């Protein structure tokens, strides 16, 4: 059997997987963000401040019918890591809501943050930790939207 590596007539079609990467400090911690976009409104996002893949979940955005105040709903299923952590669900819901403008309906998200979700133990005031977590969430969401929309 012979396999031809010559470009076919469909070579003008762009490859259906697009990956973008950035590294930047978020709240003073070097953060790596890798976004891979697939055809059909699917994406994978890895956010790491420790160089490893962290807790991983699948997030699906489901359109509501508009009745009884039901709008877009988000279903989160944890694949690896802590299950039923309400803050993970907050992160996932916020990120999917931000991604609505770039037509991502299904997302695999991996988060490995050094101060994941307000982890205590470093002597910081809890209000400072909550404010920093909000800033981290906002900056990550803005970066992910920027990478997936460009």
């Amino acid at each position: 059997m012979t396999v031809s590596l010559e470009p076919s007539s469909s070579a003008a079609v762009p490859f259906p997987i697009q990956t973008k990467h950035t590294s930047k400090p978020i709240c003073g911690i070097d953060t790596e963000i890798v976004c891979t976009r697939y055809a059909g409104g699917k994406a994978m996002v890895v956010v790491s401040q420790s160089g490893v893949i962290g807790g991983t979940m699948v997030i699906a955005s489901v359109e509501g019918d508009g009745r009884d105040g039901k709008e877009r709903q988000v279903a989160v299923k944890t694949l690896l890591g802590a299950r039923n952590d309400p803050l993970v669900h907050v992160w996932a819901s916020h990120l999917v809501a931000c991604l609505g403008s770039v037509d991502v309906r299904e997302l695999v998200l991996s988060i490995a943050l050094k101060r994941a979700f307000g982890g205590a133990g470093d002597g910081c005031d809890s209000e400072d930790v909550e404010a920093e977590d909000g800033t981290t969430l906002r900056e990550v969401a803005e970066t992910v939207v920027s990478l997936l929309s460009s």
Side-chain angles (χ1 to χ4, degrees):
M1 178 168 85
T2 305
V3 178
S4 174
L5 297 177
E6 295 298 317
S8 66
S9 61
S10 64
V13 177
F15 194 66
I17 300 172
Q18 301 168 352
T19 299
K20 296 193 178 173
H21 170 266
T22 190
S23 178
K24 65 187 236 178
I26 294 181
C27 289
I29 302 172
D30 289 334
T31 306
E32 302 285 329
I33 301 175
V34 179
C35 298
T36 303
R37 188 174 184 143
Y38 302 89
K42 297 179 182 179
M44 179 173 180
V45 174
V46 178
V47 180
S48 180
Q49 292 179 332
S50 57
V52 298
I53 292 178
T56 304
M57 64 213 76
V58 175
I59 307 144
S61 177
V62 181
E63 296 292 329
D65 59 6
R67 289 183 263 158
D68 300 326
K70 292 183 182 176
E71 301 274 331
R72 172 175 266 183
Q73 296 180 5
V74 176
V76 179
K77 180 180 179 185
T78 303
L79 301 175
L80 299 169
R83 302 204 183 281
N84 301 323
D85 184 343
L87 288 174
V88 169
H89 289 260
V90 168
W91 267 72
S93 299
H94 180 74
L95 192 54
V96 167
C98 291
L99 292 175
S101 64
V102 292
D103 191 34
V104 172
R105 295 179 301 280
E106 203 169 319
L107 176 69
V108 175
L109 174 64
S110 176
I111 304 174
L113 302 176
K114 288 188 177 180
R115 294 191 44 158
F117 312 112
D122 59 0
C124 290
D125 185 350
S126 65
E127 289 180 12
D128 293 338
V129 170
E130 287 176 14
E132 188 172 300
D133 285 347
T135 301
T136 301
L137 172 59
R138 190 170 35 263
E139 287 187 41
V140 166
E142 289 171 1
T143 303
V144 168
V145 169
S146 172
L147 288 173
L148 290 175
S149 63
S150 60

